[in-house]
Amino acid sequence: TPLPEAMEFDTMEELDALASPFRLRILEGFTSPATIRACAEAMGVAPTRLYRHVHRLVEFGFLEMVEERGVGRTTERVYRAAGRSIRPSDEFLGRYGAEGARELFRLVFRIVESEVLETGRDVDLSERNGLVALSHSRLYLSEDHLRELVEALSEIFEKYGKVSGDIEVSVLASAVPLNLEEGRSGRR
């Protein structure tokens, strides 16, 4: 069965189950069916580090057991992620509002921080001149332009998500309306 494109979460408890860059790396390890041992080996960690996290991800439906087989005297379980990507449901966004948005951003920033710090150990970024970009901008857009920006970012991720190459890249893009009140520009 093909892997569904996205899995959604509805509650803060489900978000909390994802609130670890390590757990998200585990989910990546299960985009194809794999055992805990195989996933741990690919991650370069001991399998014992994964059991508690895998149990939590299964409990909330982010991982599913797709096969169980006898291997000697033990039972080996094969797991797969429930989808290629994770996103908050409309119910989550409506239910938790600003609090939910803050928690989502905390998670995203922890993920990026984890990736950047991990990369910093192994890669001399000075050798990647012209291939590293870091920027922050505050834009003042109409609601229509904001929609266009979000659509353009989605198209970029869709386009490059299907490309295969030998350079692994971490990309963070966010378009967050800081002020949606009618008649206020938000400029300071």
Side-chain angles (χ1 to χ4, degrees):
T1 336
L3 190 62
E5 200 50 45
M7 52 187 145
E8 294 186 340
F9 57 89
D10 300 318
T11 67
M12 283 292 212
E13 194 175 24
E14 290 170 320
L15 175 60
D16 186 54
L18 297 168
S20 155
F22 187 70
R23 282 197 187 138
L24 293 173
R25 280 184 56 214
I26 291 169
L27 276 176
E28 286 177 16
F30 286 106
T31 52
S32 296
T35 63
I36 290 175
R37 182 172 302 286
C39 181
E41 188 175 299
M43 292 175 66
V45 299
T48 54
R49 285 200 55 203
L50 270 61
Y51 287 108
R52 164 175 69 95
H53 298 289
V54 166
H55 176 73
R56 187 99 163 123
L57 291 167
V58 167
E59 176 184 354
F60 286 99
F62 298 115
L63 276 181
E64 50 196 26
M65 186 177 58
V66 294
E67 185 182 348
E68 196 171 49
R69 57 187 176 220
V71 177
R73 291 182 161 178
T74 64
T75 301
E76 187 174 61
R77 291 179 178 91
V78 178
Y79 298 93
R80 183 180 83 164
R84 291 190 191 288
S85 62
I86 305 163
R87 65 177 176 228
S89 68
D90 290 340
E91 291 171 21
F92 177 89
L93 297 172
R95 183 181 300 140
Y96 297 106
E99 178 191 2
R102 277 192 301 276
E103 291 305 314
L104 285 170
F105 281 108
R106 281 189 185 106
L107 173 59
V108 169
F109 290 125
R110 278 197 305 266
I111 293 165
V112 171
E113 177 187 40
S114 173
E115 288 179 348
V116 169
L117 293 176
E118 186 69 26
T119 299
R121 291 183 210 160
D122 303 327
V123 177
D124 180 0
L125 293 179
S126 66
E127 296 174 6
R128 301 287 186 180
N129 194 18
L131 295 177
V132 176
L134 178 63
S135 88
H136 171 265
S137 299
R138 185 171 286 208
L139 306 174
Y140 298 91
L141 306 174
S142 68
E143 195 166 325
D144 288 341
H145 284 125
L146 175 58
R147 286 185 204 291
E148 287 176 25
L149 176 61
V150 169
E151 186 176 309
L153 289 171
S154 295
E155 288 172 6
I156 288 170
F157 281 101
E158 178 69 22
K159 174 183 176 180
Y160 291 101
K162 294 178 180 174
V163 173
S164 182
D166 59 347
I167 301 173
E168 184 179 13
V169 179
S170 176
V171 178
L172 168 65
S174 66
V176 182
L178 300 175
N179 178 4
L180 288 178
E181 292 178 28
E182 199 67 37
R184 287 187 54 194
S185 69
R187 292 180 193 251
R188 293 182 188 172

